[in-house]
């Protein structure tokens, strides 16, 4: 099932994040809040309580839980996998990881992160997606090195496929996750394009596009091309991106007249647009305070009490449910392995003081 225009929607979403500073900052914040600060086990309220409960576990249960956390057959431990999944969940509205079973198919021995940008869904079968297709680069999927291969969805009853995929998504879409900030995608694009606009100005040496008028016709086409080539080599900006127009005419009387349309107060309009896009992006991400995204607000920025209250409110209204969904996903690994430990993410607290 294709995902967006040319099957490249996830890549377009990733590009937006790379091009918008405030959007990327918010995603990073939400990722930290989703990943949290470790797991609490068996109903513990603090890390100290959780450590005490861990120390009281039977030796065999403790050993199984350690294998789950350390993920020794993988290059990353489970917390590394979880953090990457949290990042995908906040960027794409979905995350995925691969489960590798032992030869008896009765225990999961490895958990491997899978980038959802590289996954495309198979068709529904009995209201379930039973297979996904993976390619390292869908732009080049017709090439041998990037040819998609099939991955089977996790099914505890499946005793045939030793590699199975867990895919978790937001929203009601049958195949793919809903982007959590889709209401402000246009404003993220505005912020992205304003950055390109200013970068282009810098690359152009802060000069506008130029019009070169020649009141003498070149004798040959080759001479004309040499003139244009010299302009390109000597005039264009730091990254050779400046734009110019060159016209040739026998004399001034026969030269064409070009008058650019001037836009008044462009600098003020850009400032207003930048401020408006920031507000719309913050709103689209459901932040109750722009200070959480690093946007300075008169009377708020630097007021730690107000900032902490805004953080806790945003966490309880928006992020707690995301953490719970991630926890439920990883809990199924422990349950399949018959490890009698219940996990819950310990919320990240940036206001906690340490000595």
């Amino acid at each position: 099932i294709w995902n967006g225009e040319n099957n490249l929607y996830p890549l377009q979403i990733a590009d937006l994040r790379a091009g918008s500073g405030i959007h990327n900052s918010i995603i990073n914040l939400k990722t930290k809040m989703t990943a949290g600060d470790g797991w609490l086990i068996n109903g513990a309220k603090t890390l100290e309580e959780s450590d005490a409960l861990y120390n009281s576990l039977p030796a065999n249960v403790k050993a199984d839980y350690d294998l789950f956390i350390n993920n020794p057959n993988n290059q990353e431990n489970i917390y590394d996998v979880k953090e990457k999944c949290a990042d995908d969940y906040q960027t794409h509205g979905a995350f995925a990881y691969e489960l590798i079973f032992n030869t008896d198919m009765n225990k999961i021995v490895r958990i491997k992160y899978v980038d959802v940008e590289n996954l495309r869904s198979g068709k529904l079968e009995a209201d379930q997606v039973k297979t996904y297709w993976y390619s390292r680069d869908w732009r080049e999927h017709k090439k041998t090195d990037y040819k998609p291969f099939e991955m089977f969805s996790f099914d505890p009853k499946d005793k045939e496929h030793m590699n199975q995929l867990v895919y978790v998504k937001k929203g009601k879409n049958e195949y793919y996750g809903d982007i959590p900030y889709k209401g402000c995608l246009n404003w993220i694009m505005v912020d992205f394009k304003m950055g390109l606009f200013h970068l282009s100005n810098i690359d152009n040496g802060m000069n506008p596009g130029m019009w070169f008028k020649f009141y003498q016709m070149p004798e040959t086409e080759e001479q004309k091309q040499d003139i244009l080539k010299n302009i390109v080599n000597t005039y264009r900006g730091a990254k050779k991106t400046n734009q110019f127009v060159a016209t040739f005419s026998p004399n001034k009387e026969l030269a064409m007249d070009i008058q650019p349309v001037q836009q008044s107060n462009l600098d003020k309009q850009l400032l207003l647009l930048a401020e408006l896009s920031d507000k719309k992006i913050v709103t689209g991400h459901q932040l109750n305070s722009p200070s959480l995204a690093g946007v300075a607000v008169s009377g708020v920025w630097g007021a730690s009490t107000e900032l902490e209250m805004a953080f806790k409110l945003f966490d309880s209204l928006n992020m707690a449910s995301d953490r719970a969904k991630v926890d439920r996903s990883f809990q199924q690994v422990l349950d399949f392995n018959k490890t009698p430990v219940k996990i819950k993410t310990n919320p990240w607290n940036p206001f906690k003081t340490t000595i």
Side-chain angles (χ1 to χ4, degrees), residues 19 121 159 173 209 264 306 318 344:
S121 175
K159 302 301 180 182
N173 189 298
S264 61
E306 290 86 347
N318 296 280
K344 181 179 180 181

Side-chain angles (χ1 to χ4, degrees), residues 52 83 106 113 154 173 183 194 242 285 296 301 311 328 344:
E83 184 174 359
N106 60 6
Y113 163 76
F154 173 55
N173 189 298
M194 281 197 298
N242 213 1
H285 275 284
W301 184 250
F311 178 88
R328 288 193 297 272
K344 181 179 180 181

Side-chain angles (χ1 to χ4, degrees), residues 12 42 69 99 146 148 197 202 221 254 259 285 293 305 315 322 332:
Q12 296 164 7
N42 296 341
I69 295 295
L99 303 177
Y146 303 102
F197 173 80
I202 293 173
E221 179 65 23
L254 295 178
Q259 295 294 332
H285 275 284
T305 303
D315 183 67
D322 285 353
Q332 66 184 336

Side-chain angles (χ1 to χ4, degrees), residues 218-281:
E219 294 181 1
T220 64
E221 179 65 23
E222 182 179 356
Q223 186 180 27
K224 177 181 176 182
Q225 294 302 321
D226 287 341
I227 294 171
L228 296 176
K229 184 177 180 180
N230 286 333
I231 295 174
V232 170
N233 291 336
T234 59
Y235 165 67
R236 293 169 73 172
K239 291 189 178 180
K240 306 296 183 184
T241 57
N242 213 1
Q243 302 297 315
F244 67 90
V245 174
T247 58
F248 298 88
S249 53
N251 51 58
K252 288 186 177 183
E253 287 73 21
L254 295 178
M256 68 174 161
D257 188 19
I258 301 177
Q259 295 294 332
V261 177
Q262 299 294 333
Q263 189 168 2
S264 61
N265 300 321
L266 180 59
D267 55 341
K268 293 180 180 179
Q269 292 184 44
L270 288 174
L271 287 173
L272 179 63
L273 190 59
E275 182 179 351
L276 184 58
S277 69
D278 282 354
K279 290 181 178 178
K280 294 294 186 180
I281 293 171

Side-chain angles (χ1 to χ4, degrees), residues 83 115 142 166 213 226 271 278 288 335:
E83 184 174 359
D115 192 339
K142 293 183 179 180
V166 174
K213 306 177 187 178
D226 287 341
L271 287 173
D278 282 354
N288 54 339
D335 293 345

